[in-house]
Amino acid sequence: MKHLIVKPFPKDFFWGASTSAYQVEGAWNEDGKGPSVIDMREKYPEGTTDYKVASDHYHRYQEDVALMAEMGFKAYRFSIAWTRIFPNGTGDVNIKGIEFYSNLIDELIKYGIEPIVTMYHFDLPYALQTRGGWSNRGTIDAFVEYAKVLFENYGDRVKYWLTINEQNMMIMHGKALGTLDPNLEDPDRELYQQNHHMLVAQARVMDVCHQTLPQAKIGPAPNISYIYPASSKPEDVLAAQNFNAIRNWLYLDAAVYGRYNKTAWSFFEEKGYVPVIEAGDMEILQKAKPDFIAFNYYTSKTVESSTGDGNDKNGTGDQEIVIGESGVYKGHSNPNLPKNEFGWEIDPIGFRTTLREVYDRYQLPVIITENGLGAFDKVEEDGSVRDPYRIDYLKKHIEQMQLAITDGVEVFGYCPWSAIDLISTHQGAKKRYGFIFVDREEYDLKELKRIPKQSFYWYKDVISTNGENLS
Ligand code: BG6
């Protein structure tokens, strides 16, 4: 639809940005923090650093929040490191960890910035992993125990909660993210069992949140990308339906409706991935209802029908770029889309499509919790950091979000990735996403000085005009 009149962004729209604890904080073993699966990874991608210091936000959060306030942030989405609160995943609470996030939340509130808290962003406590991680139903109880402590300590100030960041990516690409236990014997079968446990854990936590904090709102935070068929061939359309179900709707149907998506379920049956569901699990899923859907969007995906000959994996690079599943769908590079420096297709219109589809299916308010462009930014001789490519990416996505709002989608916030430079999941410190440059290199920490980028000033203007001025 080509709108002649575009609706404005809602008043009180949550303009902000996101980070995650392990990618930004550093201080990986300070003040009683326990190790997470990320800290204990056997190796990191070649030529990339670990997360021990990251952007040193743990020690510099006041300076960072002041810069966010200067940009005019209305919201900041960050994650709490489970291992700062429970160094062993469960058991004794670490008071220093409680204090850190309490101080961070107070600092945000001081500037009128709404804290939006992700409870778990990839960094499962290593102590839980050694006991089977998400394969062990005990981890469900540990997550609920952890959530209760967060609600008790921060529920007076935090109104917006996100349960699990990108559960779908942890299940489908855990190896690349470093969240998959490398010793799993039958990873594919086991992963969908873990997925089931995460769904139950999420549902229980949503329920506890509603019971204990009636004013709070809580939702899931998957990565959602609408899947296109490579052509109008019916076989390709079926393949796209398959992948949409397995990658996207499986997770949201369970979170919102408390049921397994039928196409995804038939995929489990076909492949031998059917999870064990214990008595009462489905009732738990059905009882819990999210208040909104948060999702991360970077790119769309395109697939064609499977050749079934073992050559369905298609694409280059890492993470999600190589996709395909024998007999189900085959990855296809979309010739209509440009790619970023890392091979990710750039698709702002796909963002509008995805927003419309999510809202049509679930009829819940939506907040975008990640969207952004990774790039090799650098400091110019005059000390500035120019990132017009990032401005271009964000501008085009914001335009499409506004069109989706005009289409009728209820969007209440936009928190792109990332507020400040942090360590990328796949390409270390050199791949940057932030509005604020952190002056460090992969292996040389330098002084970790903060430098507002060109996009910082641009976004400040976007926020101050409530999205009217995108130029
Ligand atoms: C999302 C994650 O998948 O993508 C973030 O939630 C991550 O943690 C982001 O950093 C971008 O991915 P990458 O690999 O470029 O850091």
Side-chain angles (χ1 to χ4, degrees):
M1 207 176 320
K2 288 204 162 115
H3 297 290
L4 296 178
I5 299 170
V6 178
K7 287 188 188 153
F9 283 95
K11 198 173 136 292
D12 303 326
F13 190 74
F14 281 155
W15 294 103
S18 294
T19 61
S20 89
Y22 79 90
Q23 293 176 275
V24 77
E25 285 177 5
W28 76 288
N29 61 355
E30 284 182 40
D31 290 341
K33 180 183 171 295
S36 72
V37 292
I38 305 287
D39 299 319
M40 300 302 282
R41 269 176 82 159
E42 279 165 17
K43 57 181 177 141
Y44 298 99
E46 205 184 324
T48 70
T49 182
D50 55 33
Y51 297 85
K52 292 193 163 89
V53 178
S55 300
D56 198 31
H57 175 70
Y58 188 78
H59 299 114
R60 300 171 196 234
Y61 74 92
Q62 287 166 310
E63 179 187 355
D64 294 343
V65 172
L67 285 166
M68 292 176 205
E70 192 185 327
M71 254 187 285
F73 276 21
K74 309 289 182 214
Y76 171 49
R77 177 231 178 186
F78 61 95
S79 80
I80 291 184
W82 187 338
T83 50
R84 282 199 198 284
I85 307 297
F86 283 105
N88 294 311
T90 179
D92 293 334
V93 172
N94 175 33
I95 298 302
K96 290 260 187 197
I98 297 280
E99 273 170 17
F100 171 69
Y101 295 107
S102 191
N103 293 339
L104 173 61
I105 290 164
D106 285 344
E107 195 69 13
L108 292 166
I109 290 173
K110 181 171 112 186
Y111 292 105
I113 300 174
E114 186 78 38
I116 300 178
V117 172
T118 315
M119 305 169 81
Y120 162 43
H121 190 124
F122 301 164
D123 49 358
L124 187 74
Y126 185 69
L128 294 179
Q129 185 83 310
T130 58
R131 299 200 284 275
W134 285 107
S135 295
N136 180 346
R137 282 186 75 99
T139 300
I140 302 176
D141 297 326
F143 189 56
V144 175
E145 183 190 356
Y146 163 59
K148 283 182 180 163
V149 169
L150 300 189
F151 296 150
E152 272 160 28
N153 284 279
Y154 311 128
D156 57 337
R157 288 159 290 162
V158 174
K159 194 169 162 211
Y160 293 89
W161 298 91
L162 310 172
T163 52
I164 303 178
N165 179 70
E166 296 195 354
Q167 179 177 330
N168 55 341
M169 295 298 103
M170 282 196 276
I171 297 302
M172 300 184 72
H173 304 286
K175 203 167 159 199
L177 294 171
T179 53
L180 176 71
D181 178 352
N183 304 315
L184 281 183
E185 269 178 24
D186 181 1
D188 291 333
R189 152 81 188 72
E190 192 54 33
L191 277 171
Y192 285 102
Q193 187 64 52
Q194 297 194 348
N195 181 55
H196 179 70
H197 294 159
M198 284 192 217
L199 291 175
V200 174
Q202 167 171 271
R204 282 184 55 193
V205 163
M206 291 198 293
D207 201 32
V208 174
C209 180
H210 289 136
Q211 306 282 345
T212 54
L213 301 173
Q215 305 301 322
K217 294 182 186 301
I218 189 162
N223 177 310
I224 303 293
S225 295
Y226 194 73
I227 313 296
Y228 302 128
S231 76
S232 54
K233 275 199 261 169
E235 296 84 349
D236 290 347
V237 176
L238 268 177
Q241 277 191 343
N242 290 341
F243 194 35
N244 262 315
I246 295 164
R247 186 195 185 284
N248 298 319
W249 316 139
L250 162 62
Y251 301 88
L252 286 177
D253 286 2
V256 179
Y257 301 127
R259 64 176 183 235
Y260 270 99
N261 177 284
K262 294 285 183 204
T263 307
W265 191 263
S266 77
F267 162 74
F268 292 170
E269 288 178 330
E270 179 68 29
K271 299 278 176 182
Y273 300 161
V274 172
V276 174
I277 298 182
E278 290 202 355
D281 284 357
M282 294 315 291
E283 286 71 24
I284 292 172
L285 293 193
Q286 276 149 24
K287 190 167 163 234
K289 299 276 174 245
D291 301 290
F292 58 82
I293 291 173
F295 74 87
N296 303 344
Y297 175 90
Y298 288 89
T299 180
S300 57
K301 293 280 161 210
T302 303
V303 297
E304 59 186 296
S305 71
S306 158
T307 49
D309 59 2
N311 292 316
D312 286 323
K313 290 238 183 270
N314 202 7
T316 52
D318 56 17
Q319 204 192 13
E320 263 224 287
I321 297 165
V322 182
I323 52 170
E325 183 76 47
S326 187
V328 189
Y329 59 89
K330 176 176 179 165
H332 186 95
S333 165
N334 190 331
N336 306 299
L337 299 175
K339 293 188 172 70
N340 73 14
E341 289 177 279
F342 302 90
W344 300 24
E345 287 163 350
I346 300 179
D347 185 8
I349 295 177
F351 186 32
R352 180 178 175 189
T353 315
T354 306
L355 278 160
R356 286 166 56 142
E357 189 69 16
V358 167
Y359 192 64
D360 270 1
R361 288 183 69 94
Y362 304 107
Q363 300 283 308
L364 283 171
V366 171
I367 180 166
I368 300 308
T369 40
E370 286 183 35
N371 171 235
L373 183 80
F376 299 110
D377 305 335
K378 62 174 197 326
V379 185
E380 305 289 341
E381 278 185 9
D382 63 5
S384 66
V385 179
R386 287 181 215 135
D387 55 350
Y389 35 80
R390 179 166 299 108
I391 294 174
D392 184 58
Y393 177 98
L394 295 172
K395 176 176 178 287
K396 287 182 174 146
H397 284 78
I398 294 173
E399 280 167 355
Q400 292 300 323
M401 177 169 60
Q402 191 170 8
L403 289 172
I405 289 172
T406 309
D407 292 331
V409 181
E410 209 181 326
V411 189
F412 67 98
Y414 179 68
C415 291
W417 193 255
S418 51
I420 180 166
D421 282 350
L422 37 70
I423 310 299
S424 133
T425 319
H426 298 91
Q427 283 95 0
K430 61 178 120 13
K431 183 190 199 181
R432 296 167 182 275
Y433 281 92
F435 293 108
I436 302 162
F437 187 89
V438 174
D439 194 14
R440 64 161 286 178
E441 287 168 14
E442 212 69 52
Y443 302 106
D444 179 0
L445 292 172
K446 300 164 112 180
E447 289 178 14
L448 292 146
K449 190 174 144 207
R450 276 53 176 154
I451 307 171
K453 300 182 193 175
Q454 186 185 1
S455 57
F456 176 105
Y457 299 103
W458 168 81
Y459 197 42
K460 182 177 177 178
D461 211 33
V462 171
I463 297 176
S464 71
T465 59
N466 198 26
E468 263 181 43
N469 188 4
L470 296 179
S471 58

